[in-house]
Amino acid sequence: MSVQGRIAPAEAATKRRGKVLTAAIAAQSLEYYDFLIYGTAASLVFNHAFFPSTSAVAGVLAAFATFAVGFAGRPVGAAVFGHIGDRFGRKPALVASTLSMAVATTLVGLLPTFSSIGALAPVLLVILRVAQGIAVGGVWGGSTLLAVEHAPPNRRGLHGSLPQLGIFAGMVLGTLVFVVLSGALTADQFAAWGWRIPFLLGIVMIPVVFYIHRYLEDSPDFRAVEEKLAAAPKRSSVVQVLRRPKNLLLVVFIFLPATIMFYATVTGLLDYGVRELKIAKGTMLTAVMFSMIATGVSTVLCGRLSDTVGRRPVYAGGVVLAGIWGFALFPLADTRNFWAILLAIVVGQISVGAMFGPGVTMFAEMFPPSVRFSGASMGYQLANIIGGGLAPFVMAALIAATHTTVSVSVYILAACLISLVPLALLGRRALTSAAVEG
C-alpha cells in the first residue's frame, strides 16, 4: 500500500471531525442566540410589552418568570431528543431540535403584545418559550456528543469544549444585535418594533439544519452500539437512566454553580445595572458582549487542559473562583465605571468557562453510549432549571427582599459549596468505565 493510501483514512477522519465541529459550533451559536436573546428582551422590553404593571419590580419578576419557564422545557427536550439520539442517532436528534428552535424563535418575533390581544399575549409567549426550551434540550446533547464521540480519545476534552464556543458566540451575536438596535433606534421605536428583529433573524438556522442533514455522519460511538440497540428490547434510554439516577444527580449538583454564575452575570447583573444603578443599556450590553470572548477562550483552554491534568481538578478550580468572585461582582458594578463592570463580568465568566470546558466531556464520560444522550442531556438541563433558569429571578427577588446584594453573593457561594461535595465523591472509575461500557 502506498504512503498516500495509508494516510487517506487519517485525512478523511480529520475532515470528518472538522465538518462535525463546524456544524456543532454553528448549531450551538444559533440555538443559544435564539434562546438567550429572550433573556435580554426580558430585561429590557417584555416587562412592558407583555406584563404591564404599576410596579416596575413586579413587571421584571413576571418577565424573568417566563425566562425561567423556558428552562422547564429543557429537560423535556433532553428526554424526548435523548431517546431519539440514543435509539436512532445523534444526527437526527440534532436536526429535529434545531429546526424546532428556528420555528419557535421566529414566531416570538411575530407575536402580538398585551396592548393588542390582552392576556393571550403572555400565554402565547410562555408556550413559545417552552418550545424554545424543548429545542435547546436536544441541540446541546446532539452537537456536544457528535463532537466528543468523533474526537480522538486524548482530545475529547478539547473537542467537547469547542461546541460550547457556540453558546458564547451566540450570546455575543445576540447582544451585538441589541446594542446596534438600541443605538440606531429611539427608545420608543425599540419598544414598539425594534425588539422583534433579533427574533425574526432566527430563520437563518434553516441552512444549518440542511448542512447537518446533508453532510454529517453519525458518531462512531453510536454506530458501534447501533446493531446491539436494534437487537435489544425496545427500552427507553430515559427510563434506564432514571432507574439508576446516581450519575444523573451528580451531574445536576456539580453543574449548579456554572449555570448560576453564567446567568447571574449576563442577565441578572444586566437588569441590576440598568434598573437599580441607572446605567445605560448600551454600556451594560457592551460589557456582557466582550465578556463572552473571555468565556470562550477560558472554555477551550480549560477543556484542553482537562485532557492533560484531568476533568475534576480543572472544574474544581472554576468552582472555587466562582465562589470567591461572587463577592466582588456587585461592589465593582456599584462603581458605575465601565471598566470595573467589565472586570466583574469577565472574571465571573472565566470561572464559568473553567467549568464549561471540562464539564461537558466529563458528563458524557459518566454514561455508556447507549444512554449517553439522555443521561448527559437530562443532567445538564435539570441543572440549568435549578440554577440558570431561576438565577435572574432569585437574584432580583433577593435584592428586593434583603435590600443588599450580599445575599446574592451568598447564594452563589452556596451553589459552589454544594457542587464541590459530589465532585469530590465522583470517582475516577465513573469517568472511565462508563465511557467504554456498551
Side-chain angles (χ1 to χ4, degrees):
M1 182 181 292
S2 67
V3 173
Q4 183 178 2
R6 286 198 299 271
I7 64 174
E11 291 177 349
T14 300
K15 289 181 179 179
R16 245 188 343 262
R17 290 173 190 140
K19 288 181 180 180
V20 167
L21 287 173
T22 299
I25 293 171
Q28 289 265 55
S29 296
L30 295 173
E31 192 83 355
Y32 277 86
Y33 162 84
D34 287 355
F35 192 73
L36 292 172
I37 56 174
Y38 188 102
T40 304
S43 298
L44 305 177
V45 178
F46 285 174
N47 55 321
H48 304 297
F50 292 94
F51 305 97
S53 171
T54 55
S55 168
V57 173
V60 168
L61 291 178
F64 279 154
T66 62
F67 177 76
V69 163
F71 284 79
R74 291 173 70 155
V76 176
V80 172
F81 293 110
H83 175 75
I84 295 171
D86 286 328
R87 174 60 63 176
F88 303 104
R90 316 319 191 195
K91 189 175 85 167
L94 181 57
V95 167
S97 54
T98 305
L99 182 60
S100 300
M101 175 60 91
V103 173
T105 301
T106 303
L107 289 177
V108 171
L110 299 172
L111 197 62
T113 61
F114 188 93
S115 62
S116 299
I117 60 173
L120 183 60
V123 171
L124 293 175
L125 182 65
V126 169
I127 291 172
L128 291 174
R129 181 59 178 171
V130 171
Q132 280 190 320
I134 292 172
V136 167
V139 170
W140 180 85
S143 58
T144 297
L145 291 188
L146 279 172
V148 169
E149 294 178 347
H150 272 282
N154 64 339
R155 290 291 186 273
R156 284 195 159 190
L158 173 62
H159 282 240
S161 68
L162 286 172
Q164 312 317 308
L165 287 178
I167 299 176
F168 312 120
M171 189 69 178
V172 170
L173 181 60
T175 305
L176 179 61
V177 170
F178 274 102
V179 168
V180 171
L181 289 173
S182 63
L185 303 176
T186 67
D188 290 341
Q189 288 173 329
F190 183 80
W193 54 268
W195 65 268
R196 298 181 182 277
I197 295 174
F199 292 93
L200 295 175
L201 291 175
I203 199 70
V204 302
M205 294 184 71
I206 301 299
V208 176
V209 174
F210 174 79
Y211 181 89
I212 294 169
H213 176 71
R214 177 69 177 82
Y215 295 105
L216 259 61
E217 297 179 13
D218 224 314
S219 75
D221 285 23
F222 175 75
R223 294 199 305 269
V225 299
E226 190 173 9
E227 291 185 8
K228 185 186 296 184
L229 289 170
K234 298 297 186 288
R235 293 179 299 175
S236 167
S237 57
V238 176
V239 173
Q240 293 179 60
V241 170
L242 294 177
R243 282 178 176 172
R244 296 182 178 180
K246 176 184 175 182
N247 280 2
L248 175 68
L249 294 175
L250 288 175
V251 171
V252 171
F253 290 110
I254 288 172
F255 201 54
L256 277 182
T259 63
I260 290 174
M261 178 59 90
F262 181 82
Y263 287 102
T265 51
V266 303
T267 301
L269 201 62
L270 172 63
D271 168 66
Y272 176 75
V274 172
R275 183 167 53 85
E276 296 288 342
L277 302 180
K278 310 303 180 186
I279 299 171
K281 292 195 296 286
T283 300
M284 293 300 298
L285 288 170
T286 301
V288 169
M289 182 179 67
F290 280 111
S291 77
M292 292 299 98
I293 299 172
T295 321
V297 172
S298 172
T299 296
V300 174
L301 291 179
C302 291
R304 178 65 186 95
L305 183 62
S306 75
D307 286 323
T308 304
V309 305
R311 320 280 185 231
R312 288 192 298 165
V314 179
Y315 193 98
V319 174
V320 172
L321 177 59
I324 294 172
W325 195 250
F327 289 90
L329 283 177
F330 296 98
L332 287 170
D334 288 340
T335 65
R336 294 177 171 82
N337 177 275
F338 172 77
W339 298 107
I341 294 169
L342 182 63
L343 176 65
I345 301 177
V346 163
V347 177
Q349 288 301 302
I350 287 174
S351 74
V352 171
M355 292 180 273
F356 265 75
V360 291
T361 302
M362 179 171 70
F363 301 151
E365 290 173 341
M366 290 166 61
F367 300 91
S370 59
V371 299
R372 181 171 293 159
F373 200 126
S374 298
S377 292
M378 286 195 300
Y380 179 91
Q381 303 303 348
L382 285 170
N384 270 288
I385 288 183
I386 301 170
L390 294 176
F393 182 86
V394 170
M395 186 172 167
L398 283 173
I399 293 173
T402 64
H403 305 291
T404 174
T405 57
V406 174
S407 58
V408 179
S409 301
V410 173
Y411 167 58
I412 295 171
L413 177 62
C416 292
L417 294 176
I418 290 171
S419 174
L420 288 173
V421 175
L423 192 63
L425 295 175
L426 183 62
R428 179 175 176 79
R429 185 174 179 276
L431 301 183
T432 55
S433 61
V436 299
E437 180 187 343

